[in-house]
Amino acid sequence: MAAGATTVLAASVLNSAMASSIKPAPDVPEKTSADGGYDTIIIGGGMAGATAARELGTRGKKCLVLEARNRTGGRTFTTEVFGERADVGGQWIHWIQPHVWAEMQRYGLQLLETPGASPTAYGVVVNGKLEPFDPAKAFELLNLGMQVFSKDVIDLFPRPYDPNFNPDSLKTDNISIAQRMKQINVSDETRAILESYFTTAVNGPIEQAGYLDQIHWYARAGNDMDRLLRACTQYKISTGTSSLIELLFRDSRAEVKLNTPVQKVEQSSRGVKVTAENGKTYFAKSCIVALPMNCWNDIEWLPALSPGKVAASKERHVGSGFELKVKVKGNKGSYQGMASSGYPINLVYTDYISDHHTKFVAMGYSVPGFDVNDDDNVREAFTRLLPGAEIMESFAYDWNSDPYSKGTWCDYKPGMWSKYGEDMRKDEGRVVFAGSDIANGWRGFIDGAIETGLRASRIVLKQLG
């Protein structure tokens, strides 16, 4: 690539230049050991942790937030890309997502539209070859395909934010997306478009992804494919996700300790003692754990966590990929290209257009032989979906290699919801769990993280009295 590739793996952990501007509240003194100075310790400074901190702080509770990285934001991350601020983690939001939209209105944040969500040109790999489609025709095939895919189970979630309302909702939890695709009869073109969509949606192989989760996605958008796509890809916060994080922490008045991974959590009748990897200990009356489920087992818990939490964390969710930002020479217009499981890049679409260059977002997951750090690998995979593109620069963030996420957004594997779902959401005494991975609504989205931060804070407020 002309200017070479910039790759961020776990660099957000190490590079202090990328740290959030969040600072501890100046009038909140540090309280360590078993001095009872905090009402709540929050482990994890992402959207769920920040929301919980705001809710508790505005009600007069003293909170300490322990964040392993050198920045807040969790699986949202606003950093410098091609000389400008940009998001390289969770970023897309929509007004049908009630919790994040409420925060947008509360703080007066504005939207930024992604051009590629409404493409004027579209291509998808069909039987190994990139085929051009009229975007309207491609959507028609996707929409009809989704209706076939969800036939007979479209009413499983009459109340999408209460997924257990229907006692039959888990009856298809043992089926993978790939298994369901084998059961349906659609054209090769429709199959390619559907499989490409699902591979992007789960950010991993569809052979490992649960059918039920995608039915729940569909239900959250009112079984409307156009609405679902727009909720996933069209709108971002114009000032970046970091602006919302900063506002939440500003209002929380919480003390925030960066570069502080947690080693052990012990609870007793007196409260919760948290030991950091640096040996420092902190004590509070309660604790909120706002970490990705893939990281739960990295902490020693006394007493032990519920068996379902342990098993789910060991098994991990499906999302296991990366996000690429690619700057291409020339005006390429509003374009979207897709490929299914087995291809290293599953989605390429326009993020910004100028007369001289076009910026693209690309998403994929690790497949054998592909290295997101290798310029030649990236060029080959990217131009497979946008032939002839002359790449000027690229930027990669490999969330799978980030030790404090160990993956991207959450999509459950077959059987995971029914086997572990109850335990994953269960409170552990004075320790309450939050995070997008256990949301009842928009799981895997910013909205789901905020939902669980609100829920956790309500439970802790009741505990604190």
Side-chain angles (χ1 to χ4, degrees), residues 335-348:
Y335 174 76
Q336 190 173 125
M338 302 188 77
S340 60
S341 282
Y343 288 87
I345 294 180
N346 310 115
L347 172 67
V348 166

Side-chain angles (χ1 to χ4, degrees), residues 23-39:
K23 304 295 181 184
D27 57 344
V28 180
E30 179 177 350
K31 303 287 184 180
T32 62
S33 192
D35 59 9
Y38 299 110
D39 292 302

Side-chain angles (χ1 to χ4, degrees), residues 66-381:
L66 301 179
E67 169 55 50
R69 298 180 176 91
N70 68 352
R71 61 171 183 85
T72 53
R75 283 175 286 182
T76 64
F77 183 21
T78 310
T79 189
E80 186 171 303
V81 181
F82 311 143
E84 297 178 347
R85 300 288 287 174
D87 280 302
V88 296
Q91 55 202 274
W92 288 280
I93 63 170
H94 197 274
W95 49 84
I96 67 169
Q97 298 165 343
H99 304 95
V100 68
W101 193 249
E103 301 301 335
M104 293 288 288
Q105 298 305 298
R106 178 198 294 260
Y107 292 116
L109 297 173
Q110 302 300 310
L111 292 175
L112 176 67
E113 189 163 356
T114 307
S118 301
T120 56
Y122 178 89
V124 65
V125 176
V126 181
N127 297 324
K129 181 182 178 182
L130 183 67
E131 298 285 356
F133 279 84
D134 173 73
K137 179 62 177 178
F139 174 75
E140 180 184 339
L141 294 176
L142 174 61
N143 190 42
L144 292 173
M146 189 65 183
Q147 292 173 18
V148 176
F149 181 82
S150 60
K151 187 180 179 182
D152 301 327
V153 294
I154 198 168
D155 296 323
L156 278 184
F157 297 105
R159 300 182 184 181
Y161 292 89
D162 183 8
N164 297 320
F165 174 76
N166 178 3
D168 294 328
S169 63
L170 298 180
K171 70 180 183 180
T172 59
D173 190 33
N174 63 332
I175 300 173
S176 72
I177 294 173
Q179 287 172 319
R180 176 56 179 162
M181 289 300 299
K182 291 178 180 178
Q183 296 173 354
I184 65 175
N185 183 23
V186 292
S187 68
D188 287 352
E189 292 83 2
T190 300
R191 185 173 301 277
I193 292 171
L194 266 179
E195 290 188 352
S196 299
Y197 161 74
F198 287 130
T199 304
T200 302
V202 305
N203 202 214
I206 59 175
E207 293 78 12
Q208 297 178 15
Y211 170 51
L212 187 63
D213 247 27
Q214 288 306 303
I215 298 301
H216 191 223
W217 277 44
Y218 198 35
R220 295 193 302 247
N223 298 319
D224 184 317
M225 199 64 205
D226 180 67
R227 188 181 299 160
L228 177 57
L229 291 178
R230 295 188 184 283
C232 297
T233 64
Q234 189 164 14
Y235 298 107
K236 301 187 277 190
I237 302 173
S238 63
T239 48
T241 54
S242 63
S243 61
L244 177 54
I245 286 284
E246 290 170 6
L247 288 164
L248 290 167
F249 276 122
R250 180 201 69 185
D251 288 353
S252 77
R253 296 183 62 79
E255 181 180 354
V256 180
K257 288 186 174 293
L258 304 176
N259 301 304
T260 310
V262 168
Q263 182 179 66
K264 183 188 295 186
V265 175
E266 305 168 79
Q267 58 175 313
S268 66
S269 60
R270 294 180 58 243
V272 182
K273 178 182 175 182
V274 177
T275 303
E277 288 185 2
N278 61 15
K280 290 186 178 180
T281 59
Y282 306 92
F283 187 84
K285 300 169 187 174
S286 61
C287 178
I288 292 175
V289 179
L291 300 178
M293 59 173 280
N294 289 356
C295 299
W296 291 343
N297 287 345
D298 294 341
I299 295 174
E300 181 182 354
W301 305 91
L302 296 174
L305 293 180
S306 300
K309 281 193 178 74
V310 175
S313 184
K314 182 178 180 180
E315 188 172 328
R316 296 194 185 189
H317 60 67
V318 181
S320 57
F322 56 83
E323 180 173 335
L324 276 168
K325 299 283 191 179
V326 182
K327 186 176 180 180
V328 173
K329 186 174 290 187
N331 183 342
K332 299 297 183 182
S334 181
Y335 174 76
Q336 190 173 125
M338 302 188 77
S340 60
S341 282
Y343 288 87
I345 294 180
N346 310 115
L347 172 67
V348 166
Y349 77 122
T350 304
D351 199 28
Y352 172 84
I353 304 170
S354 78
D355 291 337
H356 306 291
H357 65 264
T358 308
K359 296 176 184 177
F360 287 88
V361 177
M363 295 183 186
Y365 68 97
S366 298
V367 298
F370 179 76
D371 182 358
V372 73
N373 310 323
D374 185 284
D375 288 2
D376 292 333
N377 279 189
V378 170
R379 181 188 298 108
E380 181 183 356

